[in-house]
Amino acid sequence: MYNQFDFNYYDKKIDREKYIVATFSFKAPKLTFTQAVHAIAGESSIGTWTKISGLSAAQYKKLAPKLIWKNEAKHMVSIAYPLALFELKNIPQLLSSIGGNVFSMKVVTQLRLLDIEFPKVYIDSFLGPQHGIVGIRKILKIKKRPLIGSIVKPKVGLTAKEHAQAAYTLWKNGVDIVKDDENLTDLSFNRFKVRVKEVIKMRKQVEKETGQLKLAVINITAPYNLALERAKYIKKMGGRCMMVDIVAMGWSAIQSLRQENLGLIIHGHRAGHSMFTRNEEHGMTMYVVAKLARLAGIDQLHTGTVVGKMDGTKTEVQKIDDFLKEDWLHFDNLQSDWSEIKPVMPIASGGLHPGLLPDVVKYIGQDVIINFGGGIFGHPDGVAAGAKAASQAAQAVMNQQTLEEFSQTHDELATALKFWVNN
Ligand code: CAP
Ligand code: MG
């Protein structure tokens, strides 16, 4: 197991267009560094626990992984896997290779997949987002400012009509995007088809009354065939967007939904990601999840707020969001070319209220959807006032005014600041 590859360390001379490079950190207390690297590289490619024959020298040369970078002190390693080990446009197979058995080996007690760098031919084999940042802005006819989103609260419990009424109030008072919560699908008191009909009716009414364009983000999460049926129903009823809980639905479902080319914006909710992204010692980073989501075709993706209730440091959230918006990625002079795969709109959500909007824009920029659930539904003067306060906070930032200043002439924002900031 531990000496099956003739690694030439620091073999940076490889042609990066012919390899997928995975960078891991790990703990393997009973092994030397090299033994551990052999175990990791072997189990995730062509090896197993003991030396096996069967591969011709030529085939071995073609398929054996290479070790191209290491940091022994930090127990980190970059392994270059020949592209021939992978199937283009197949995320499940990618993860069964470098995200599979290798995480279960007794001898490697902790393993974290920090990054995956793909060659252009692999990246371009995917469809990527159908709309992306530019497309979303075009649909909403909102050129520059951050998009204001809300999640109907309580998460579940309202009837479909009550849900639609809440959506109307949100849209009417300045919110651009209203989404279902991640665990709202087709429930006895809020049937999916009734919600689609009622919410889209409200959206059309608000659009007529305000002249603004709005987005309803309706959750289709379900076993695949049912999810697809729901997506088609949203489209048939004049919807523009579907929400997918990406962890619960899985990469195969996301790729398949995207390949349907329904024209709907695909909103990626990441509920459950922390089961494997949060532990700094084991699992995979949200950065890797974001790369896979962009390949798979997610248009807008929850990625963290920095200042809200969910885990996610400034460094991590900025790295993810910078990637999602980039065409080119630069690693030690290597350029990964993502220019054929549309940039993805990051979504900042979780524990936000209008008083935090300037920080979100400071850390993440203006290409962002900023979601307020409790931060609107918990406003002391009700949902309409909460929606106004969120929209006012965005206006203040776009006017380059402080919230304090802007709240002098905007009561709803003043109340929100008093309630959540200065209390
Ligand atoms: C936010 C939210 C979102 C989380 C998801 C919730 O509600 O609806 O699902 O933001 O987290 O259910 O908590 P609040 P993330 O605005 O009331 O917190 O975006 O980090 O995946
Ligand atoms: Mg939620």
Side-chain angles (χ1 to χ4, degrees):
M1 175 178 224
Y2 308 128
N3 56 1
Q4 54 191 310
F5 299 112
D6 44 351
F7 280 124
N8 33 353
Y9 279 100
Y10 300 103
D11 182 351
K12 283 198 193 264
K13 296 183 291 304
I14 62 165
D15 174 357
R16 296 293 285 259
E17 277 310 304
K18 294 200 172 70
Y19 292 86
I20 287 182
V21 176
T23 300
F24 295 97
S25 63
F26 62 88
K27 280 216 165 71
K30 295 203 175 87
L31 303 179
T32 65
F33 182 87
T34 302
Q35 285 176 331
V37 168
H38 278 236
I40 294 166
E43 190 57 51
S44 54
S45 64
I46 56 175
T48 184
W49 60 275
T50 182
K51 211 159 173 65
I52 44 171
S53 58
L55 270 191
S56 68
Q59 190 70 336
Y60 171 85
K61 195 162 177 299
K62 189 170 159 241
L63 300 179
K66 294 184 182 333
L67 177 64
I68 60 167
W69 176 84
K70 67 171 180 174
N71 179 324
E72 290 205 27
K74 290 188 175 169
H75 274 79
M76 290 169 71
V77 63
S78 291
I79 300 171
Y81 298 87
L83 203 49
L85 292 174
F86 302 97
E87 184 185 347
L88 298 183
K89 63 182 175 191
N90 184 338
I91 292 176
Q93 187 266 345
L94 170 80
L95 289 178
S96 297
S97 310
I98 58 178
N101 286 357
V102 70
F103 281 83
S104 313
M105 296 189 294
K106 279 185 187 159
V107 286
V108 178
T109 52
Q110 303 275 9
L111 182 66
R112 186 159 170 80
L113 177 54
L114 301 172
D115 191 6
I116 311 177
E117 293 158 77
F118 301 104
K120 183 165 176 55
V121 64
Y122 189 83
I123 294 169
D124 291 357
S125 73
F126 289 85
L127 291 172
Q130 188 160 17
H131 301 280
I133 294 176
V134 171
I136 294 163
R137 286 192 174 280
K138 221 159 99 195
I139 288 169
L140 287 169
K141 293 198 179 359
I142 298 173
K143 280 206 169 63
K144 267 181 69 59
R145 69 168 170 77
L147 305 176
I148 304 299
S150 183
I151 312 106
V152 175
K153 297 289 178 181
K155 285 179 180 285
V156 290
L158 300 183
T159 64
K161 271 192 178 305
E162 289 166 339
H163 183 110
Q165 192 47 55
Y168 174 86
T169 306
L170 291 164
W171 282 322
K172 184 78 177 182
N173 289 284
V175 167
D176 305 305
I177 300 171
V178 176
K179 68 178 279 294
D180 289 355
D181 228 326
E182 64 279 357
N183 52 339
L184 176 61
T185 53
D186 179 52
L187 303 176
S188 59
F189 46 82
N190 190 330
R191 287 284 168 223
F192 175 84
K193 287 190 169 179
V194 179
R195 184 165 77 252
V196 170
K197 258 190 288 210
E198 294 300 328
V199 166
I200 290 174
K201 190 166 76 183
M202 288 292 125
R203 191 205 80 201
K204 289 177 177 169
Q205 186 181 324
V206 166
E207 289 179 336
K208 216 159 76 198
E209 292 168 0
T210 62
Q212 297 162 357
L213 288 162
K214 304 292 182 181
L215 205 58
V217 180
I218 304 173
N219 191 359
I220 66 165
T221 299
Y224 183 70
N225 293 334
L226 184 52
L228 178 58
E229 201 184 294
R230 290 178 177 173
K232 289 177 175 173
Y233 186 75
I234 290 172
K235 183 174 172 69
K236 185 173 142 223
M237 300 307 288
R240 301 183 179 118
C241 180
M242 59 179 157
M243 175 163 123
V244 180
D245 292 342
I246 63 172
V247 173
M249 287 287 298
W251 299 109
S252 163
I254 302 162
Q255 283 195 252
S256 304
L257 283 167
R258 172 67 184 91
Q259 283 157 11
E260 289 291 329
N261 278 321
L262 292 172
L264 298 175
I265 291 170
I266 307 181
H267 178 115
H269 196 292
R270 60 176 184 169
H273 73 94
S274 294
M275 282 192 273
F276 51 84
T277 60
R278 188 169 185 182
N279 179 339
E280 295 289 321
E281 307 276 333
H282 188 80
M284 80 163 111
T285 57
M286 182 62 211
Y287 184 58
V288 170
V289 173
K291 284 190 170 180
L292 301 179
R294 185 172 174 183
L295 288 176
I298 296 294
D299 289 290
Q300 49 197 48
L301 176 71
H302 286 250
T303 55
T305 64
V306 183
V307 293
K309 74 184 183 187
M310 299 296 193
D311 182 54
T313 63
K314 179 160 79 82
T315 314
E316 183 200 16
V317 172
Q318 287 180 328
K319 182 177 176 186
I320 295 166
D321 291 358
D322 289 350
F323 156 71
L324 288 176
K325 301 177 194 177
E326 283 294 314
D327 278 348
W328 290 84
L329 295 182
H330 306 269
F331 306 89
D332 332 317
N333 313 321
L334 166 85
Q335 278 194 338
S336 283
D337 177 355
W338 286 72
S339 55
E340 295 299 313
I341 304 287
K342 290 191 179 86
V344 172
M345 183 72 88
I347 302 167
S349 178
L352 295 179
H353 58 71
L356 293 172
L357 185 142
D359 283 346
V360 173
V361 175
K362 181 172 76 177
Y363 294 133
I364 297 174
Q366 293 185 359
D367 268 339
V368 62
I369 294 171
I370 306 177
N371 268 357
F372 303 91
I376 284 181
F377 284 77
H379 191 286
D381 298 337
V383 178
K388 282 185 181 149
S391 169
Q392 289 161 4
Q395 288 164 46
V397 167
M398 297 311 283
N399 297 354
Q400 293 177 338
Q401 286 181 272
T402 67
L403 297 187
E404 288 62 31
E405 219 180 316
F406 203 76
S407 67
Q408 303 301 323
T409 53
H410 295 84
D411 295 347
E412 295 83 0
L413 179 57
T415 306
L417 296 179
K418 192 158 157 281
F419 189 66
W420 280 305
V421 180
N422 311 321
N423 60 0

